Amino acid sequence: MEDRIQNQSRPAGEPALDLRGFLTTSAKTAIAVAGAGTLLAAGSAGGRWFGADANEVAFPLGGIGTGTISIGARGNLRDFEIWNEPRKGLVLPYSHFTLWAQEDARPSVTRVLEGRIAPPYAASHGIHPNHGGGLPRFAESRFRGRYPTAELELRDPEIPVEADLLAFTPLIPLDPDESGIPCAIFAWTLRNHTAGRVRATVVGSMLNPAVFSGTDEFGNLRSYPGGPARNRRRADNQARGVFFEGPVVGESELAFGNAAIAAIASEITAKPEWFRGGWYDTLREFWDDLSADGHLTELDPEQVAPQGMVGPEVVNIVPGSVGVPIILEPGESTTVTFIISWYFPNRINGWFTAAPSVPPTTRVRYSTRFANAWEVTRYVARHLPELQAATIDFRDALFESTLPPPVIDAVAGTMPVPRSNTCFWLADGRFFGWEGCFDRGGSCHGNCNHVWAYAQTLAFLFPSLEMDMLRTAFLDEVEPSGKMRFRAESHFGTTFKKRHAAADGQLGSIIRLWRTFLLTGDRGFLAELWPNARKCLDYALATWDTDGDGVLDGEQHNTYDIEFWGPNPLTGVLLLGALRAVEEMALRLDEPATAAQYRGIFERGRVRLDELLWNGEYYEQSLEDVDEHPYQHGRGCLSDQLFGQQLAHVAALGHLLPEEHVGAALDAIVRYNFLAPLGNHANLQRTYAFADESGLLLCSWPRGGRPRLPFVYSDEVWTGVEYHVAAHLIFEGRMEEGLALVAALRARHDGYRRNPWNEVECGHHYARSTASWALIPALTGFHCDVDRQTLWFEPVGNGSSVTFRTLFTCGAGWGVYAQSKHDGETRPVLVVLGGDLDGFTVRVGERAWRIVDGRLE
Amino acid sequence: MEDRIQNQSRPAGEPALDLRGFLTTSAKTAIAVAGAGTLLAAGSAGGRWFGADANEVAFPLGGIGTGTISIGARGNLRDFEIWNEPRKGLVLPYSHFTLWAQEDARPSVTRVLEGRIAPPYAASHGIHPNHGGGLPRFAESRFRGRYPTAELELRDPEIPVEADLLAFTPLIPLDPDESGIPCAIFAWTLRNHTAGRVRATVVGSMLNPAVFSGTDEFGNLRSYPGGPARNRRRADNQARGVFFEGPVVGESELAFGNAAIAAIASEITAKPEWFRGGWYDTLREFWDDLSADGHLTELDPEQVAPQGMVGPEVVNIVPGSVGVPIILEPGESTTVTFIISWYFPNRINGWFTAAPSVPPTTRVRYSTRFANAWEVTRYVARHLPELQAATIDFRDALFESTLPPPVIDAVAGTMPVPRSNTCFWLADGRFFGWEGCFDRGGSCHGNCNHVWAYAQTLAFLFPSLEMDMLRTAFLDEVEPSGKMRFRAESHFGTTFKKRHAAADGQLGSIIRLWRTFLLTGDRGFLAELWPNARKCLDYALATWDTDGDGVLDGEQHNTYDIEFWGPNPLTGVLLLGALRAVEEMALRLDEPATAAQYRGIFERGRVRLDELLWNGEYYEQSLEDVDEHPYQHGRGCLSDQLFGQQLAHVAALGHLLPEEHVGAALDAIVRYNFLAPLGNHANLQRTYAFADESGLLLCSWPRGGRPRLPFVYSDEVWTGVEYHVAAHLIFEGRMEEGLALVAALRARHDGYRRNPWNEVECGHHYARSTASWALIPALTGFHCDVDRQTLWFEPVGNGSSVTFRTLFTCGAGWGVYAQSKHDGETRPVLVVLGGDLDGFTVRVGERAWRIVDGRLE
């Protein structure tokens, strides 16, 4: 498995993961076939390398609430999504890095700093010169993303230098502001591999993004209706480059904004405005100018080609370039760093449109720190050493851990979600999330509580933002009855058509609140949300538990976008988890009587649920006539049946149901729902995995009784569900099964089939996929109670002699925890890399240590 | 080379054509490396087989002026373009064939009759159930297109039958009506490969295309605003199936139309209207119903799911299905034939919009033969044996010829152009062509004469339609001055902004007229167009030959969309060809004095042009200051420099310039412009070929003197230019060079990089690409003078002992010509497969035969 994951290029015809034996043998055997059992001890993942033909690779650069620019496997910049909405597929014309190089006494070469474009080449008019398809590139390239950093290696025997790129946007756990800078950093390292002296220039070019308004049907740039681009040369102590502004418009207009491309260099060559020529002369003048001598000539900004078909209506849009000339002796290498920054501070003041009563736009968070893109550039240039060091510390804490490679791959691959356009962050500090993204526009609005209930990454990385989402849920969206609107609407003053509650989302939010309190230890926060949390639970009991037996049985809207009727494990187990969470909150807030009250309901409910739904193999839905209402699961084996138990484990709430039933039900889920490969499974719904791929179905009917119209996603495979089931399997001691699920899932995201940094469900960068982070607590036994200044670790596989090392995060600090066994004794090491954990107790098994000066005493 | 072309799957990382030695060796050596020298004797091409992963394969089914439905390499129906405009990428939901099969006493299987879907799988919401991504398919498939027929083979060890498909739309040379039926025929042959008896049902399904109005952003069907679908079961003596109508609208409205899917079978099972359910229940009901017992249940058309998120606003759109149940004994096979037909008789009455003075829509040709789609179905079902036989006769005449495989591949690969949406055909018989197609909409209007001057396929296959285009050019578009508007505008009563003449297009049209007269022998046609043909030539001489020396030197608009100034080979040689063509026309029309007059100009001009432009290697443009006007080529080596000579060869006009200069210039074109591979060639314009691919640049500057802004397509590679240069090389005895160009070009269209049935330039199915047909006269020495009832053959390679066999077409008939050598004597065989050539003389070298009863006497 490890070999396969580290393959550079996809071997022709090879299936994603060879688990073909599974259908005819037992689950255990199939998992052995998959090689998943060896993954735990496999050491560092190191990240997968991708060849230039991995067309689906799109590694997002960009911060929280800033939008992103992605980098493809060839090093190509793609998917410019910096205007506060998704824009999948939008490639900003003329935006790439170029190399000019000349070895002494030899002809010079000019190349785009990318690998060659891979098929298909199917456009109706060829590749437009705007996208420089016909420009020569490097013969060999490979790409590795270890989120949050990306690396590219370019090689070509005809070029006198090797070129390596490190690209990233700072990401520092617990620090959303430093992780929310609207920039992308590109550090190019050139090495002279010849025996002669090499003169070289690295040039960064970008179209002015403040005036870009698309292309016509031929691919030619469309005129920007608002007026001309204003590209100006700017310089600072550290950074020199081009500042891009559009025409002067009101500062609250959506069109308002600017950008910059700059190099950290004392000497540059620049062409702030390219030639305003007819036809394709714009590119020709740039290329010929650079090719002539490695320097760029500044042009009269009003210069227009003497004649050309493309008239003055479009010459208001031009790219700008900044280049850094260097000299390299044989064997010498030099790093040249570029910063692309952007500043589009306004977004629509609503989920879809602004309400009539409010201003049409609102400001994004980064506008409170910076006045324009050049200020961003200046800040990043000045603080680059610290920002880069902390980002790489974090990356290495994860990638140099001993977590199984597919787990590292999964956690890092889904980590972009909070920094994608799935989420946004306003100037007043409010943080919101869609479920995911359409290619253009958010996909399903309103912090949807039944989807976000699965999410873990945000809470563990940026708990202050998770706290904000919970404030929205419990303070803004709970009606006096205790009903929580499952899509937040209050902040923007809009009213959606569907204002009902989702049973799973409402109960999941309560467990989420307890998990977040454990991570942050913020008693004020807990106290503020507590009354409504309790009210939400009471509403659930009053509304959906019609017979008062502690098991929900009413009409229960849920994450399958339909209603379950009658007792069922999804909402039933979530209720048990929510009862336990509320009990713990009550205890922490010194309300022992309240705690006891809910404990009582919990104890009744857990027995009753087990009686009603346990069928000897797993928990099923109890219905007399499964077809009385459409879209039920009835006797089907639901992969989500123990979702509430998994949430409870992450929130340290213990077992909600008999442990042996929990384990057996998980075994049944793997046995019946994990198809390796999916093969001839007939999926009549949306397809996220199929054929030679392996995956976990949402439901199956091994004991018969399939409804005529089963619930509308039952045939599908969702990564968010696979992750929580995988984590849960590991929590329950079923390591190999859990890892097999993760390995299968990530093998589907191989850069050819799908983007490794984008797991899709109802949209790109789907929030549910960040259930992946639960794999870390499952594998490390990490949990915390920051209020009580305690961290726990209990790595799975602790009994073996292998060295163990992991990243950990909590609201007060983050770092690396490691341990090894010597002479039968476990020796822990802990290094705090951010935050302050001094005085905290670290518990490993029966033993405890104290943190002093960021280390274990 | 042959092995490579017949590869099923692309070997990972292998370049398209390995001609890498070229840049460092001579052209001759490189061509040897390419293996092109062995192609002539390689025998039947047999067509290339493609694996299911050849995602770019889109083989168009459909007739002249009918639009098309394409079939992909998996057998998937794609690119539904049946509404009188291009719709690349539009896949009609629910439209596929399905198999149910059961071997006695074993479980049944249900499968889509397609190969499995290949990566990428990158959509934001997975694959929508409308497109059945999650339905099981055949494990193995391969596809071959030998235009006009496509073949698919499906195999799966888990399925008790093998399934082979033959799909086509009738194509019969010289018969545009029978080649213009709005239908696609699918003949499925099932073979029982088990030892038991097999019951099977083949089901064809299609969404009602008369009400399809796209999908919403989730992929759900959008409501059709005009009203509900009307799907009705219909039967005939031969055909039984479903007739699809939309709501009742006026018969001249664009929305008016209908369609049908039918099987030629006496017993069917049908579901004319699928379940009108919520969510994804429509597909579920169909799949479960068929899977149950291989039969389809007819539903109450008003039936709606009891509850569902998808409301009544979209349930006015439903698919319909017809299935044929069969029983197969072990080893037995049966063929089941389906016909999809469509009837959308109205198109916009103009190139872009209708002029205010005319009705907004006009009728298409097929509406004069058929009243609705069911009539189409009935006609096709009744005449299927003859239509199929003639189509296969034609296919085999080409594919079983001894022409080199890449040439067969090229001629067949570009043959769809006249049957694509690049062309359209009106009820009054008028035939028009765009240059090509955007994904949606025509790409550059008005029978553009400088592009269509390169086209040969239409004239050789359907000369009556070529005659119509020439009537438009010479009767409608020539102004009193003799200026021919290079974009036709008269028919639709519109006036375009650019109404000037194109020097190359105007002169090329004159040669085209002579070529078409030779093919058709229609003296009335020639006499009708003759006055304006002569006027056009006089205009050219008066306008562009400012000094009267027989060499054009004025401001000459041309196919590069710019103006050449001064003497240049492109227009200069075309003038010589046009002078010769007019001379021949005058002679044929008994105007010897007129003929002598133009002969005189020709003789002066050919000497003068050679004096002015021959540089010892090739013909260049003569300019004092190459940068005085932008976009010239000056001293560059232009691949089009002898375009007029190639046209003259096809029109049997002989050499226009000294033969040794012509040959040397062609050698220079190959030497300087054919890059194998293109490698690091910097193309600053549109990219149609690059990197590891080989191709012919439009221009290069081996002797220096490149203008600061060379003409705007000079870096590009156009297949239409490659074809005429390749044909010309063969005409001039440079066989290996010519075939190397064709092999390189077709290797770029390998089903992974680009569609083998769609050569793109400024649009899909670009008219210039049909220059390919010139390869047949070049290789066979075929030309004709139908007026004088004579055909000539002089195959290249005639001196060798190999058997030779080719397709031939002329306006009076078509068939196969073959010859072999025995004892030093050439023995010809000719079979007339269509038309009437009795009484014609066939000349081969010095000898002549007469055709009697469709055979050589």
Side-chain angles (χ1 to χ4, degrees), chain A residues 628-651:
Chain A
E628 184 187 346
H629 300 285
Y631 310 140
Q632 307 303 298
H633 72 90
R635 296 174 58 198
C637 178
L638 187 74
S639 286
D640 264 339
Q641 65 186 277
L642 292 170
F643 171 52
Q645 177 65 77
Q646 183 264 353
L647 288 184
H649 282 322
V650 176

Side-chain angles (χ1 to χ4, degrees), chain A residues 522-586:
Chain A
D522 189 328
R523 283 190 172 240
F525 165 75
L526 181 62
E528 188 183 8
L529 273 57
W530 160 249
N532 273 354
R534 193 180 157 181
K535 211 187 265 187
C536 280
L537 181 58
D538 291 344
Y539 175 89
L541 291 166
T543 309
W544 297 311
D545 180 8
T546 61
D547 55 5
D549 64 351
V551 175
L552 304 187
D553 52 19
E555 178 183 1
Q556 302 149 67
H557 188 72
N558 60 55
T559 200
Y560 310 126
D561 296 331
I562 48 78
E563 288 71 40
F564 278 164
W565 296 78
N568 70 88
L570 173 66
T571 59
V573 180
L574 278 162
L575 174 67
L576 297 177
L579 286 162
R580 282 283 295 115
V582 165
E583 178 193 358
E584 293 290 342
M585 294 181 216

Side-chain angles (χ1 to χ4, degrees), chain B residues 1 4 14-39 406 670-671 673-680 690-696 722 736-748 753:
Chain B
M1 186 62 215
R4 158 130 211 98
E14 190 177 315
L17 181 70
D18 191 351
L19 298 179
R20 276 171 292 202
F22 186 77
L23 290 172
T24 52
T25 61
S26 75
K28 280 283 182 197
T29 310
I31 289 159
V33 168
T38 66
L39 292 175
V670 172
R671 186 163 60 247
N673 294 356
F674 182 51
L675 300 190
L678 285 148
N680 294 317
F690 60 162
D692 65 344
E693 302 177 320
S694 302
L696 185 76
E722 291 177 296
E736 294 190 3
E737 290 84 343
L739 295 182
L741 258 61
V742 177
L745 183 174
R746 290 303 295 174
R748 302 196 307 260
R753 297 160 181 270

Side-chain angles (χ1 to χ4, degrees), chain A residues 56 111 121-122 124-125 127 134-135 158 281 284 288 443 631 680 683-684 687 690 706 715 753 760 763, chain B residues 56 111 121-122 124-125 127 133-135 158 281 284 288 443 631 680 683-684 687 690 706 715 753 760 763:
Chain A
E56 296 311 311
R111 297 288 174 86
Y121 311 128
S124 69
H125 287 64
I127 306 174
L135 302 177
E158 295 181 24
D281 303 337
R284 179 168 300 280
D288 288 352
S443 180
Y631 310 140
N680 295 317
N683 172 355
L684 310 184
T687 307
F690 60 161
R706 201 198 77 183
D715 297 341
R753 297 160 181 270
V760 159
Chain B
E56 295 311 309
R111 297 289 174 87
Y121 312 128
S124 70
H125 287 63
I127 306 174
L135 301 178
E158 294 181 25
D281 303 337
R284 179 167 302 279
D288 287 352
S443 180
Y631 311 139
N680 294 317
N683 172 356
L684 309 184
T687 306
F690 60 162
R706 202 198 77 182
D715 298 341
R753 297 160 181 270
V760 159

